[in-house]
Amino acid sequence: MNRFEGGGNREAKIKYLDADFQIVMPGSHVICAMTNKRIMIDELRYWSVARQEPYADAAASLEADKRAGILPNQTRG
């Protein structure tokens, strides 16, 4: 089975790996851990292996890292 087949319109369960991911339970999408936006599986580009979370875009990934204390909170001033 192709990794994008058989999911219908439900949320996929995914194991996030370094530079790849493994679909544990087929689905059409995942939900961004920061924005709650739906991310289609074929558009998934950002995730955390350590936290096992998907992100809608680079900005959401950066905010998640800041929230987790990985990056300093930077303010403009």
Side-chain angles (χ1 to χ4, degrees):
M1 175 167 63
N2 177 311
R3 75 193 218 170
F4 304 117
E5 289 178 356
N9 192 27
R10 66 178 175 207
E11 186 175 357
K13 300 298 178 202
I14 294 180
K15 180 176 181 180
Y16 300 99
L17 308 170
D18 289 328
D20 200 5
F21 56 86
Q22 177 183 16
I23 296 179
V24 176
M25 186 170 59
S28 61
H29 65 279
V30 292
I31 304 297
C32 176
M34 295 299 292
T35 65
N36 289 323
K37 289 182 182 176
R38 182 183 285 205
I39 309 162
M40 301 309 289
I41 298 297
D42 60 344
E43 296 173 5
L44 179 60
R45 303 286 182 270
Y46 303 94
W47 60 82
S48 167
V49 174
R51 292 184 299 278
Q52 290 294 294
E53 296 177 334
Y55 306 112
D57 53 34
S61 177
L62 178 64
E63 286 303 312
D65 284 348
K66 287 180 184 178
R67 193 176 282 182
I70 295 171
L71 299 174
N73 287 322
Q74 298 177 350
T75 58
R76 294 182 177 196

